[in-house]
């Protein structure tokens, strides 16, 4: 009989399943995880094209848990989204101030034909 040794589950490696998500979130989380020097491996896969879930695999160097690394990556994503939202909103307000009629419905287009 062939005996297989099973590795004990570790708090430093874990696979998370993100429900109702696709490659956009999977790749974003993977990118943020890989920016963390305490993460030794981060990757994602979509189990099947017809499924709306993403599996994210995280392995750390042992200085933080996989759950903590995932939490930090998700908080970083929230911070980036907040920054983009605020910066875009400021740019729109600045544009409106400089071009008061440009945003009106039915205003003539500034594009040359």
């Amino acid at each position: 009989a062939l005996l297989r040794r099973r590795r004990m589950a570790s708090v430093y490696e874990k696979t998370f399943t993100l429900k109702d998500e696709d490659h956009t979130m999977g790749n974003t989380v993977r990118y943020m995880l890989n920016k963390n020097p305490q993460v030794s491996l981060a990757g994602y896969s979509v189990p099947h094209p017809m499924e709306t879930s993403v599996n994210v695999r995280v392995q750390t160097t042992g200085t933080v848990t996989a759950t903590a690394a995932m939490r930090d990556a998700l908080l970083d994503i929230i911070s980036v989204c907040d920054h983009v939202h605020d910066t875009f909103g400021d740019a729109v307000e600045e544009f409106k101030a400089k071009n008061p009629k440009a945003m009106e419905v039915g205003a003539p287009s500034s594009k040359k034909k």
Side-chain angles (χ1 to χ4, degrees), residues 42-112:
Y44 80 95
S45 64
V46 175
H48 188 275
M50 297 299 290
E51 286 185 41
T52 57
S53 67
V54 176
N55 295 324
V56 179
R57 179 75 177 163
V58 182
Q59 292 179 5
T60 67
T61 58
T63 54
V64 297
T65 65
T67 302
M70 179 64 120
R71 182 193 64 237
D72 291 347
L74 294 172
L75 290 172
D76 288 346
I77 292 167
I78 290 169
S79 294
V80 168
C81 290
D82 287 344
H83 174 73
V84 169
H85 181 269
D86 295 344
T87 303
F88 182 78
D90 292 346
V92 168
E93 291 306 315
E94 182 180 335
F95 178 83
K96 284 180 179 179
K98 290 180 181 176
N99 305 286
K101 295 192 180 235
M103 300 298 282
E104 291 178 10
V105 176
S109 173
S110 61
K111 293 181 182 177
K112 305 247 180 190

Side-chain angles (χ1 to χ4, degrees), residues 10-14 16 33 36-42 57-70:
S10 169
V11 295
Y12 304 111
E13 54 188 65
K14 191 175 259 191
F16 299 89
L33 285 164
N36 183 342
Q38 298 169 323
V39 173
S40 57
L41 179 139
R57 179 75 177 163
V58 182
Q59 292 179 5
T60 67
T61 58
T63 54
V64 297
T65 65
T67 302
M70 179 64 120

